Amino acid sequence: MQATRTREPDGATSHRPRTRGGFVLLGGVQTTLVFTLAALAVPLPRIGAELHLDRAELILLSAAYGLTFAGLLLLGGRLADRLGGRRALTAGLLVFGTTSALAPLAPGYEALLAARFGQGAGAALVAPAAMAVLRALFPEPAAYGRAMATWGGLSVLGATAGNLLSGVIAALTSWRGTFAVPVAVALAALLLAPRLLPATPPGTNRALDLPGALLATAGITLASYGLVLTDAHPWGSAPVLAPLLAGLVLLAGFAAVERRTADPLLPPDFLRDGRRVLGLAAIGLTAAGTATVFVLLSLALQERRGWSALLTSAAFVPFAVALLGSGRLAGPLIGRYGPGRVTGAGLGTAAAGLGLLAATGFDTSVPYAYGLLPGLLLLPAGGALSFAGAAVLATDGVPAHRTGLAGGVLNTAMELGPTVLFAGLLTLGGDAVSLAAAAALFAAPAALTATLTTTAIRTK
């Protein structure tokens, strides 16, 4: 991240290294949370063979982390605002790090599944707390806007790192070695946080809205679980409909409770800002498109082309390079053209990448350089811009006492996007059809986002 160029008071220069160090620490934590979400994608077949798991058990194991992560994020956001960002971050890191350390020691499926659920619970507190601390680290609006522009690309970076490194680690050691990354990052963050991160005061002692928290957590978790099961069961089957309908009923109850609660878990006025809703939608869409490509291509390369897990991970190296290059450009572009136009341009570029992958990515007769590489460059280039611009849109104008809430909502959109859209895309037919539909979903709001937000705030 570039240092701010605005005039600073005397002595402020001495705090710059600490500010940079604090941002690197928080960014590393956020990247690791998403890394952990994607870390089992490539070695999942090995886990199934070692633990003798069927397809349904593998699906639940893969989704367990995301289910508790998404289900508890709103509660985690309010806890971060209530307890104070750094205190909540420490508590979440303890849970996340401990369960990550227990996961590779799991003797069987049940213990590993419980550890994955525990990781998600810890992450649900860490993610919004990290954003609350980030706000304290950059109290000036312009500096905070620039920080959020960089922050927005970390999620795609984490997902990419998960797919790249998990295959390498699994090939060199075993799938259990992938858990070393979250353990190491959690431990480092716990040790460095008191030195690099500012203390954040706790919020008010108002009621926590426990009824809303229970309804939101249960509703999101059940509905997401129902959608996840569509990969193994038909939409009209009881295993899918029972949790899906129950979750939707609970979410309807959550909406009714929030309208009558004096201090709701998710204040209705928080989503009345059109730019914020647009940013959240773009975050969910971009996360869904990226996750769909990772899953479908990882399976296709191993099952259709016969590639190893290591070679499959190597295929995504250009993806990572394009992602990093585009991410470095995102901040200056947002400062010049505004987050709305950058988000729209990013969605359009990603749509082109998805379209190319749908056209040639699954044809084994087409070489990698022509069939996969162009799409694997365009998709991350657009995704990084979209995430960065959308993160600024989603958090602009949020008061300091709601920063944890904003972090919870932003990360909820990022988690639910892949769950909802991925389940829907898989029902359309083949892999190429799914990616073509995703390209259409990206292209439609791309022009709308750019048009509706031409007067949006600009980060200076």
Side-chain angles (χ1 to χ4, degrees):
M1 180 184 158
Q2 294 179 346
T4 178
R5 296 183 181 181
T6 55
R7 184 180 180 83
E8 298 177 281
D10 293 339
T13 303
S14 62
H15 296 292
R16 286 181 181 175
R18 178 180 175 182
T19 300
R20 293 194 191 98
F23 182 82
V24 170
L25 176 62
L26 293 174
V29 168
Q30 174 67 14
T31 303
T32 302
L33 297 184
V34 186
F35 167 92
T36 306
L37 183 68
L40 294 188
V42 174
L44 203 60
R46 288 192 176 189
I47 299 174
E50 180 177 326
L51 301 182
H52 309 290
L53 305 181
D54 58 29
R55 183 174 178 83
E57 289 172 326
L58 282 176
I59 291 171
L60 182 57
L61 183 61
S62 177
Y65 175 81
L67 287 175
T68 48
F69 194 174
L72 291 168
L73 268 168
L74 290 179
L75 176 60
R78 294 311 298 268
L79 284 173
D81 289 334
R82 183 184 176 90
L83 299 175
R86 199 172 81 179
R87 184 182 300 176
L89 180 70
T90 300
L93 284 171
L94 285 171
V95 175
F96 180 72
T98 300
T99 51
S100 297
L102 292 173
L105 304 177
Y109 171 69
E110 292 78 9
L112 181 57
L113 183 65
R116 288 288 284 173
F117 278 128
Q119 282 183 304
L125 185 54
V126 171
M131 280 191 59
V133 177
L134 184 71
R135 180 66 175 267
L137 196 64
F138 298 95
E140 294 297 324
Y144 179 66
R146 286 193 293 272
M148 282 308 304
T150 303
W151 190 266
L154 295 177
S155 297
V156 188
L157 178 61
T160 306
N163 279 270
L164 285 174
L165 295 181
S166 63
V168 174
I169 294 173
L172 296 178
T173 58
S174 79
W175 60 267
R176 297 178 186 271
T178 60
F179 291 98
V181 175
V183 171
V185 173
L187 182 60
L190 286 169
L191 293 175
L192 294 174
R195 183 185 307 173
L196 297 178
L197 302 180
T200 50
T204 61
N205 292 321
R206 292 178 296 185
L208 193 57
D209 184 22
L210 288 179
L214 292 173
L215 287 169
T217 299
I220 291 173
T221 302
L222 283 173
S224 300
Y225 178 62
L227 289 170
V228 166
L229 289 181
T230 58
D231 186 62
H233 302 279
W235 275 88
S237 63
V240 172
L241 286 180
L244 181 58
L245 293 178
L248 292 177
V249 169
L250 290 173
L251 289 176
F254 168 71
V257 167
E258 296 302 275
R259 287 195 295 267
R260 297 194 301 268
T261 302
D263 186 23
L265 187 71
L266 179 59
D269 65 329
F270 188 80
L271 296 178
R272 287 176 186 161
D273 188 323
R275 292 176 304 170
R276 184 166 299 130
V277 173
L278 208 54
L280 293 172
I283 286 171
L285 187 62
T286 306
T290 304
T292 301
V293 166
F294 279 145
V295 172
L296 295 184
L297 286 185
S298 293
L299 291 175
L301 290 175
Q302 294 180 76
E303 294 176 355
R304 299 184 190 180
R305 301 200 181 206
W307 290 14
S308 66
L310 184 60
L311 190 57
T312 298
S313 292
F316 288 97
V317 169
F319 189 105
V321 173
L323 178 70
L324 292 172
S326 182
R328 290 185 63 85
L329 295 174
L333 288 174
I334 290 172
R336 182 171 182 177
Y337 298 107
R341 289 180 177 177
V342 171
T343 302
L347 289 172
T349 304
L354 286 167
L356 287 174
L357 290 172
T360 60
F362 299 97
D363 188 344
T364 56
S365 65
V366 180
Y368 170 84
Y370 305 109
L372 286 169
L373 185 57
L376 289 177
L377 292 175
L378 284 176
L379 175 59
L385 294 179
S386 174
F387 253 115
V392 176
L393 288 174
T395 56
D396 176 55
V398 175
H401 69 278
R402 283 187 173 179
T403 306
L405 170 63
V409 173
L410 187 150
N411 282 277
T412 299
M414 185 182 67
E415 294 299 319
L416 287 183
T419 301
V420 175
L421 291 177
F422 184 57
L425 290 171
L426 289 183
T427 64
L428 297 177
D431 295 344
V433 175
S434 297
L435 288 193
L441 287 175
F442 272 64
L448 180 63
T449 303
T451 301
L452 294 181
T453 58
T454 52
T455 58
I457 49 96
R458 297 188 177 190
T459 307
K460 298 182 181 180

